Amino acid sequence: MAGDGVPSSGRRLAGLPLRSVPANAITAAALCFGLTGVRFAISGKWEMAMACIIGAGVLDGLDGRVARMLKGESRFGAELDSLSDTIAFGVSPALIIYLWSLQEVPRIGWFFALGYAVSCALRLARFNAGIDIKDQPHKSAGFLTGVPAPAGAGLMFCPLYIWTVTGEPLARNPWLVAPWVLLVSLLMISNLATFSWSSLRLRRDFRLPAILLLGLVSGLLISEPWATLLAISVAYVLLIPFSVRAYARVRRRRAMPGGGLGDMPAA
Protein backbone atom coordinates (compact mmCIF):
# COMPACT_ATOMS: atom_id res chain seq x y z
CA MET A 1 0.00 0.00 0.00
CA ALA A 2 1.13 3.54 -0.73
CA GLY A 3 0.39 4.56 2.85
CA ASP A 4 2.94 2.06 4.16
CA GLY A 5 5.88 3.83 2.51
CA VAL A 6 5.74 1.80 -0.70
CA PRO A 7 4.92 3.58 -3.98
CA SER A 8 1.54 2.71 -5.53
CA SER A 9 3.37 1.09 -8.43
CA GLY A 10 4.54 -1.60 -6.03
CA ARG A 11 8.23 -0.71 -6.36
CA ARG A 12 10.17 0.02 -3.21
CA LEU A 13 12.24 3.17 -2.94
CA ALA A 14 15.92 2.47 -3.47
CA GLY A 15 18.08 2.86 -0.38
CA LEU A 16 21.11 5.08 -0.16
CA PRO A 17 24.38 3.47 -1.25
CA LEU A 18 26.87 3.02 1.60
CA ARG A 19 29.40 5.35 -0.04
CA SER A 20 26.98 8.28 0.27
CA VAL A 21 26.47 7.86 4.03
CA PRO A 22 29.64 9.69 5.27
CA ALA A 23 28.95 12.85 3.27
CA ASN A 24 25.30 12.94 4.29
CA ALA A 25 26.28 12.36 7.92
CA ILE A 26 28.58 15.39 7.74
CA THR A 27 25.73 17.43 6.26
CA ALA A 28 23.42 16.35 9.09
CA ALA A 29 26.13 17.28 11.60
CA ALA A 30 26.31 20.77 10.07
CA LEU A 31 22.56 21.11 10.56
CA CYS A 32 22.93 20.06 14.22
CA PHE A 33 25.75 22.56 14.72
CA GLY A 34 23.52 25.34 13.40
CA LEU A 35 20.63 24.49 15.70
CA THR A 36 22.97 24.11 18.67
CA GLY A 37 24.12 27.66 18.02
CA VAL A 38 20.57 28.81 18.73
CA ARG A 39 20.60 26.91 22.01
CA PHE A 40 23.77 28.72 23.11
CA ALA A 41 22.29 32.07 22.01
CA ILE A 42 19.24 31.47 24.19
CA SER A 43 21.65 30.98 27.11
CA GLY A 44 23.52 34.18 26.21
CA LYS A 45 26.72 32.30 25.27
CA TRP A 46 27.39 34.33 22.15
CA GLU A 47 30.90 33.10 21.39
CA MET A 48 29.74 29.49 21.53
CA ALA A 49 26.77 30.37 19.32
CA MET A 50 29.07 31.89 16.68
CA ALA A 51 31.49 28.97 17.00
CA CYS A 52 28.67 26.55 16.18
CA ILE A 53 27.80 28.42 12.98
CA ILE A 54 31.47 28.61 11.98
CA GLY A 55 31.76 24.88 12.68
CA ALA A 56 28.74 24.27 10.46
CA GLY A 57 30.51 26.24 7.72
CA VAL A 58 33.59 24.04 8.02
CA LEU A 59 31.47 20.90 7.78
CA ASP A 60 29.58 22.36 4.82
CA GLY A 61 32.89 22.76 3.02
CA LEU A 62 33.80 19.13 3.73
CA ASP A 63 30.65 17.22 2.80
CA GLY A 64 30.83 17.88 -0.94
CA ARG A 65 34.51 16.99 -1.09
CA VAL A 66 33.91 13.76 0.81
CA ALA A 67 31.02 12.89 -1.52
CA ARG A 68 33.19 13.44 -4.61
CA MET A 69 36.11 11.54 -3.11
CA LEU A 70 33.91 8.53 -2.33
CA LYS A 71 31.82 8.96 -5.51
CA GLY A 72 28.80 9.25 -3.25
CA GLU A 73 27.04 12.21 -4.88
CA SER A 74 23.27 11.84 -4.98
CA ARG A 75 20.15 13.92 -5.46
CA PHE A 76 19.22 13.07 -1.87
CA GLY A 77 22.52 14.55 -0.68
CA ALA A 78 22.00 17.71 -2.70
CA GLU A 79 18.53 18.23 -1.23
CA LEU A 80 19.72 17.49 2.31
CA ASP A 81 22.60 19.93 1.84
CA SER A 82 20.23 22.74 0.85
CA LEU A 83 17.92 22.04 3.77
CA SER A 84 20.88 21.97 6.15
CA ASP A 85 22.23 25.24 4.73
CA THR A 86 18.84 26.92 5.13
CA ILE A 87 18.76 26.06 8.82
CA ALA A 88 22.47 26.38 9.69
CA PHE A 89 23.18 29.58 7.72
CA GLY A 90 19.72 31.10 7.39
CA VAL A 91 17.38 30.38 10.29
CA SER A 92 19.97 29.89 13.05
CA PRO A 93 22.04 33.06 12.39
CA ALA A 94 18.82 35.06 12.07
CA LEU A 95 17.67 33.88 15.50
CA ILE A 96 21.11 34.47 17.03
CA ILE A 97 21.35 38.05 15.75
CA TYR A 98 17.75 38.69 16.82
CA LEU A 99 18.38 37.44 20.36
CA TRP A 100 21.64 39.38 20.57
CA SER A 101 20.47 42.75 19.27
CA LEU A 102 17.32 43.02 17.19
CA GLN A 103 14.93 41.98 19.96
CA GLU A 104 15.48 45.43 21.47
CA VAL A 105 13.08 46.63 18.77
CA PRO A 106 11.03 43.41 18.49
CA ARG A 107 8.62 44.28 15.70
CA ILE A 108 11.13 45.89 13.34
CA GLY A 109 13.98 43.65 14.46
CA TRP A 110 12.00 40.49 13.73
CA PHE A 111 11.20 41.83 10.27
CA PHE A 112 14.93 42.14 9.45
CA ALA A 113 15.72 38.73 10.96
CA LEU A 114 12.95 37.17 8.87
CA GLY A 115 14.23 38.97 5.79
CA TYR A 116 17.66 37.45 6.22
CA ALA A 117 16.32 33.92 6.74
CA VAL A 118 14.00 34.20 3.72
CA SER A 119 16.82 35.62 1.58
CA CYS A 120 18.98 32.62 2.44
CA ALA A 121 16.14 30.24 1.53
CA LEU A 122 15.53 32.10 -1.76
CA ARG A 123 19.21 31.92 -2.64
CA LEU A 124 19.32 28.16 -2.07
CA ALA A 125 16.04 27.66 -3.95
CA ARG A 126 17.51 29.58 -6.90
CA PHE A 127 20.57 27.35 -6.79
CA ASN A 128 18.46 24.17 -6.75
CA ALA A 129 16.23 25.43 -9.55
CA GLY A 130 19.23 26.04 -11.79
CA ILE A 131 21.29 23.01 -10.85
CA ASP A 132 20.47 21.19 -14.12
CA ILE A 133 20.63 24.27 -16.37
CA LYS A 134 23.65 24.09 -18.64
CA ASP A 135 23.81 27.79 -19.54
CA GLN A 136 25.03 29.37 -16.29
CA PRO A 137 27.53 32.11 -17.20
CA HIS A 138 28.82 32.71 -13.67
CA LYS A 139 29.28 29.02 -12.90
CA SER A 140 30.91 28.19 -16.21
CA ALA A 141 33.44 30.97 -15.60
CA GLY A 142 34.14 29.71 -12.09
CA PHE A 143 32.27 32.47 -10.25
CA LEU A 144 29.38 32.36 -7.80
CA THR A 145 26.15 34.34 -8.11
CA GLY A 146 25.79 36.50 -5.03
CA VAL A 147 27.30 35.81 -1.61
CA PRO A 148 27.03 32.12 -0.64
CA ALA A 149 25.02 31.19 2.45
CA PRO A 150 27.96 30.27 4.76
CA ALA A 151 29.76 33.50 3.87
CA GLY A 152 26.51 35.43 4.40
CA ALA A 153 26.20 34.03 7.92
CA GLY A 154 29.80 34.99 8.63
CA LEU A 155 29.27 38.50 7.31
CA MET A 156 26.11 39.05 9.30
CA PHE A 157 28.02 38.37 12.51
CA CYS A 158 30.37 41.33 11.90
CA PRO A 159 28.66 43.53 14.54
CA LEU A 160 28.89 40.62 16.97
CA TYR A 161 32.60 40.19 16.15
CA ILE A 162 33.18 43.88 16.88
CA TRP A 163 31.27 43.69 20.15
CA THR A 164 33.12 40.56 21.24
CA VAL A 165 36.55 42.01 20.44
CA THR A 166 36.08 45.58 21.68
CA GLY A 167 33.11 45.45 24.04
CA GLU A 168 31.75 48.51 22.25
CA PRO A 169 28.03 48.75 23.18
CA LEU A 170 27.27 50.76 20.04
CA ALA A 171 27.97 47.64 17.95
CA ARG A 172 24.89 46.07 19.56
CA ASN A 173 22.59 48.95 18.65
CA PRO A 174 19.69 47.42 16.66
CA TRP A 175 19.38 50.56 14.52
CA LEU A 176 22.91 49.91 13.28
CA VAL A 177 22.66 46.11 13.15
CA ALA A 178 19.41 46.06 11.16
CA PRO A 179 20.78 47.90 8.08
CA TRP A 180 23.81 45.61 8.06
CA VAL A 181 21.55 42.55 8.16
CA LEU A 182 19.57 44.01 5.25
CA LEU A 183 22.74 44.61 3.23
CA VAL A 184 23.96 41.03 3.74
CA SER A 185 20.49 39.72 2.80
CA LEU A 186 20.58 41.68 -0.46
CA LEU A 187 24.10 40.48 -1.24
CA MET A 188 22.99 36.86 -0.90
CA ILE A 189 20.14 37.16 -3.38
CA SER A 190 21.96 39.56 -5.71
CA ASN A 191 23.22 38.66 -9.18
CA LEU A 192 26.72 39.97 -8.43
CA ALA A 193 29.53 37.70 -9.55
CA THR A 194 31.63 36.73 -6.54
CA PHE A 195 34.88 34.82 -6.36
CA SER A 196 34.91 31.08 -5.81
CA TRP A 197 38.00 28.95 -5.28
CA SER A 198 37.87 27.81 -8.90
CA SER A 199 37.82 31.41 -10.17
CA LEU A 200 41.21 32.16 -8.62
CA ARG A 201 44.50 31.36 -10.27
CA LEU A 202 47.68 32.08 -8.30
CA ARG A 203 50.77 33.19 -10.17
CA ARG A 204 53.78 30.96 -9.62
CA ASP A 205 55.70 33.69 -7.82
CA PHE A 206 52.81 34.17 -5.37
CA ARG A 207 52.17 30.56 -4.37
CA LEU A 208 54.72 30.29 -1.56
CA PRO A 209 53.67 33.63 -0.01
CA ALA A 210 50.05 32.45 -0.25
CA ILE A 211 50.90 29.28 1.69
CA LEU A 212 52.65 31.42 4.32
CA LEU A 213 49.65 33.75 4.51
CA LEU A 214 47.22 30.87 4.96
CA GLY A 215 49.40 29.44 7.71
CA LEU A 216 49.48 32.77 9.53
CA VAL A 217 45.72 33.20 9.20
CA SER A 218 45.18 29.69 10.59
CA GLY A 219 47.32 30.57 13.60
CA LEU A 220 45.41 33.81 14.13
CA LEU A 221 42.09 31.96 13.92
CA ILE A 222 43.20 29.87 16.88
CA SER A 223 44.67 32.69 18.98
CA GLU A 224 42.33 35.59 18.01
CA PRO A 225 39.36 34.01 16.23
CA TRP A 226 36.85 36.87 16.31
CA ALA A 227 39.26 39.63 15.32
CA THR A 228 40.56 37.40 12.51
CA LEU A 229 37.06 36.57 11.29
CA LEU A 230 36.22 40.28 11.33
CA ALA A 231 39.29 41.02 9.20
CA ILE A 232 38.41 38.18 6.80
CA SER A 233 34.84 39.48 6.51
CA VAL A 234 36.01 43.02 5.74
CA ALA A 235 38.46 41.69 3.14
CA TYR A 236 35.70 39.59 1.55
CA VAL A 237 33.38 42.59 1.19
CA LEU A 238 36.20 44.69 -0.27
CA LEU A 239 36.90 41.95 -2.83
CA ILE A 240 33.36 42.00 -4.24
CA PRO A 241 33.96 44.97 -6.61
CA PHE A 242 37.10 43.22 -7.87
CA SER A 243 35.16 39.99 -8.51
CA VAL A 244 32.52 41.92 -10.46
CA ARG A 245 35.25 43.57 -12.53
CA ALA A 246 37.03 40.24 -13.08
CA TYR A 247 33.83 38.62 -14.33
CA ALA A 248 33.15 41.57 -16.64
CA ARG A 249 36.62 41.03 -18.08
CA VAL A 250 35.85 37.34 -18.66
CA ARG A 251 32.60 38.29 -20.41
CA ARG A 252 34.41 40.68 -22.72
CA ARG A 253 36.92 37.98 -23.65
CA ARG A 254 34.12 35.53 -24.36
CA ALA A 255 32.44 38.05 -26.63
CA MET A 256 35.58 38.32 -28.72
CA PRO A 257 36.04 35.94 -31.68
CA GLY A 258 37.53 32.70 -30.41
CA GLY A 259 36.75 33.56 -26.79
CA GLY A 260 36.56 30.57 -24.47
CA LEU A 261 35.98 29.60 -20.87
CA GLY A 262 39.57 30.11 -19.83
CA ASP A 263 41.32 33.30 -18.85
CA MET A 264 40.40 33.09 -15.18
CA PRO A 265 41.63 35.99 -13.08
CA ALA A 266 45.11 35.53 -11.72
CA ALA A 267 45.97 36.63 -8.23
Side-chain angles (χ1 to χ4, degrees):
M1 295 174 60
D4 295 327
V6 179
S8 58
S9 62
R11 295 180 299 173
R12 292 185 176 275
L13 293 173
L16 285 174
L18 182 61
R19 63 179 178 272
S20 70
V21 171
N24 289 320
I26 293 173
T27 303
L31 187 156
C32 293
F33 266 63
L35 288 175
T36 303
V38 177
R39 177 232 169 184
F40 282 118
I42 292 172
S43 303
K45 299 177 180 178
W46 307 113
E47 291 190 18
M48 290 299 297
M50 288 190 292
C52 284
I53 304 302
I54 301 304
V58 173
L59 293 174
D60 183 68
L62 289 176
D63 58 3
R65 288 168 174 79
V66 170
R68 288 189 291 273
M69 181 178 67
L70 299 177
K71 295 182 172 58
E73 302 101 322
S74 65
R75 187 72 186 190
F76 175 87
E79 295 295 337
L80 178 62
D81 185 68
S82 288
L83 291 171
S84 174
D85 287 357
T86 301
I87 294 173
F89 308 122
V91 175
S92 295
L95 290 173
I96 291 170
I97 209 73
Y98 176 80
L99 292 170
W100 175 69
S101 170
L102 298 179
Q103 68 172 339
E104 296 298 321
V105 284
R107 292 185 180 179
I108 297 175
W110 185 241
F111 171 80
F112 282 95
L114 281 178
Y116 172 84
V118 172
S119 296
C120 184
L122 290 174
R123 172 186 172 76
L124 294 166
R126 179 177 65 182
F127 175 81
N128 285 348
I131 199 168
D132 295 323
I133 298 176
K134 293 182 179 180
D135 184 18
Q136 298 187 58
H138 287 175
K139 184 177 180 180
S140 63
F143 290 82
L144 300 172
T145 303
V147 171
L155 288 178
M156 194 178 66
F157 284 151
C158 279
L160 192 44
Y161 298 151
I162 295 172
W163 178 79
T164 303
V165 172
T166 66
E168 174 57 56
L170 191 62
R172 202 170 183 173
N173 188 317
W175 298 109
L176 297 177
V177 174
W180 177 251
V181 171
L182 176 61
L183 174 62
V184 175
S185 303
L186 294 175
L187 286 174
M188 284 200 300
I189 60 174
S190 72
N191 288 319
L192 295 175
T194 56
F195 285 127
S196 68
W197 289 112
S198 59
S199 65
L200 297 174
R201 293 291 185 272
L202 292 176
R203 296 193 300 264
R204 289 184 179 274
D205 59 346
F206 191 70
R207 290 176 185 176
L208 285 178
I211 294 173
L212 174 62
L213 179 61
L214 288 174
L216 291 174
V217 170
S218 299
L220 287 171
L221 281 171
I222 296 172
S223 59
E224 295 291 340
W226 312 122
T228 306
L229 286 170
L230 176 61
I232 292 173
S233 299
V234 171
Y236 183 86
V237 172
L238 293 177
L239 278 174
I240 291 177
F242 294 95
S243 65
V244 172
R245 188 176 67 177
Y247 178 67
R249 189 162 61 244
V250 171
R251 288 188 63 184
R252 287 195 299 269
R253 289 174 180 170
R254 286 180 168 182
M256 295 171 62
L261 298 182
D263 301 326
M264 299 296 186

